[in-house]
Amino acid sequence: MKITYLGTSAAEGFPAIFCNCKFCNEARALGGKNIRTRSQSLINDDMLIDFPQDTYHHFLTSNIEGDRIKHLLITHSHSDHLYPEDLVLRYGAFAHNMRQERLNIVAGGNAYDMLSKTEQHGITLLKISPFETIQLGDYRVTALPARHAIGTGALIYVIEGEKNILYAHDTGFLFDEVLEFIAEKRFSFDLISLDCTNVDIPISDEGNHMGLPNIRRLVCRLNEIGAVSASTRIVINHFSHNAAPFYDSLVEAVRSDGFIVSYDTMTIEV
Ligand SMILES: [Zn+2]
Ligand SMILES: [Zn+2]
Ligand SMILES: [Zn+2]
């Protein structure tokens, strides 16, 4: 099982679309792993997570044949995770000879409502609720409530295939009920992908996102309940430009934690 990080920034991108701060200007000059586009990942070659404005760019840069995608999980309705307008291009004169005639889209809350109002062709829209599990081809997908954009039904996902992945973007510190559910179900993760929007900008555990101190506390909790072990890959992802998310400096900042710093196009085999 593999996961490819197609986009690794928060909503504004890095460099941010309209920003002239010193971090963004330095990122423009450095290029490479310091250029971060909006949040999206690919599991194996057939399941996308999120559908931001940058999806088309991701398909070009990572050589993804969009018509082969079978499943799409949506975490929430923010535009860096859901840009439904491009889904309209899945039919007729826009899309010939698709190898997957139907795309399963799984969403909850406001994201589901937005998608249900979008023109649909070749799409099977599936509604998922917090703590619900559905089977999608070879994957078992469980939705859990995110501490993010409260009131909009934002979700994080557990994806069970050959290996088990917890994909937690966007979210603040996991709710107690989520940690209890993970313990109850005896999930044991091979990879966890955690919201690191703030990096070292302080944010409380009740906040909408996390930074490194929150992530360190969360990894301890997940370790205590047996969901994470020494062999679990821990990836930090979804960075704000305000936190100066330069690849090399992030790698240095988490060297002793053993965390993996995501960058656009990074693939991890688990
Ligand atoms: Zn986001
Ligand atoms: Zn900036
Ligand atoms: Zn968000």
Side-chain angles (χ1 to χ4, degrees):
M1 198 161 168
K2 68 178 181 188
I3 178 167
T4 303
Y5 286 83
L6 303 173
T8 60
S9 77
E12 71 278 29
F14 188 55
I17 180 164
F18 294 118
C19 190
N20 185 33
C21 79
K22 63 177 182 178
F23 302 143
C24 289
N25 288 332
E26 197 179 335
R28 285 185 189 99
L30 288 170
K33 291 176 180 172
N34 303 300
I35 303 296
R36 299 180 180 279
T37 61
R38 271 64 71 87
S39 191
Q40 186 174 40
S41 296
L42 179 67
I43 303 289
N44 296 324
D45 296 311
D46 58 0
M47 185 157 77
L48 271 181
I49 310 177
D50 284 334
F51 196 80
Q53 313 91 324
D54 294 333
T55 299
Y56 175 58
H57 168 75
H58 294 161
F59 284 11
L60 293 177
T61 49
S62 288
N63 198 23
I64 293 166
E65 295 170 318
D67 71 300
R68 288 187 187 274
I69 304 291
K70 295 179 185 166
H71 315 294
L72 167 60
L73 309 181
I74 301 294
T75 57
H76 64 297
S77 57
H78 287 163
S79 65
D80 57 323
H81 299 260
L82 178 57
Y83 178 74
E85 285 82 350
D86 273 354
L87 290 167
V88 174
L89 303 175
R90 261 190 74 79
Y91 85 111
F94 302 117
H96 300 290
N97 306 324
M98 284 189 293
R99 281 156 290 191
Q100 289 297 324
E101 284 292 327
R102 297 204 73 78
L103 173 67
N104 296 315
I105 305 185
V106 175
N110 285 14
Y112 177 87
D113 295 342
M114 269 172 77
L115 285 162
S116 59
K117 288 179 199 133
T118 301
E119 200 178 306
Q120 286 180 36
H121 303 275
I123 286 172
T124 303
L125 181 59
L126 302 164
K127 187 170 192 172
I128 196 164
S129 302
F131 304 109
E132 188 183 349
T133 299
I134 59 168
Q135 189 77 34
L136 271 185
D138 297 333
Y139 307 101
R140 261 168 68 85
V141 172
T142 301
L144 298 169
R147 191 192 294 272
H148 186 74
I150 301 295
T152 69
L155 298 170
I156 58 174
Y157 289 102
V158 173
I159 301 152
E160 298 171 87
E162 294 153 39
K163 298 290 172 79
N164 298 332
I165 291 174
L166 170 67
Y167 192 83
H169 309 281
D170 299 348
T171 186
F173 201 88
L174 300 193
F175 289 121
D176 284 343
E177 70 215 80
V178 169
L179 290 164
E180 282 157 23
F181 181 86
I182 288 171
E184 224 169 78
K185 294 286 176 189
R186 296 174 182 269
F187 283 129
S188 165
F189 299 118
D190 299 287
L191 183 144
I192 60 174
S193 186
L194 300 177
D195 185 312
C196 194
T197 306
N198 280 47
V199 188
D200 54 7
I201 300 169
I203 184 166
S204 95
D205 283 346
E206 276 75 49
N208 234 355
H209 288 291
M210 291 190 285
L212 287 172
N214 318 79
I215 285 178
R216 290 182 183 115
R217 283 193 289 278
L218 179 57
V219 169
C220 275
R221 287 286 297 278
L222 289 167
N223 211 339
E224 279 162 22
I225 62 175
V228 157
S229 68
S231 62
T232 304
R233 314 278 194 94
I234 299 165
V235 183
I236 58 170
N237 182 38
H238 191 278
F239 305 104
S240 161
H241 78 123
N242 291 313
F246 298 104
Y247 178 76
D248 289 343
S249 58
L250 287 177
V251 167
E252 209 46 57
V254 299
R255 190 176 296 283
S256 60
D257 299 290
F259 300 161
I260 298 167
V261 178
S262 69
Y263 59 88
D264 287 21
T265 72
M266 175 179 83
T267 295
I268 301 179
E269 289 276 354
V270 283

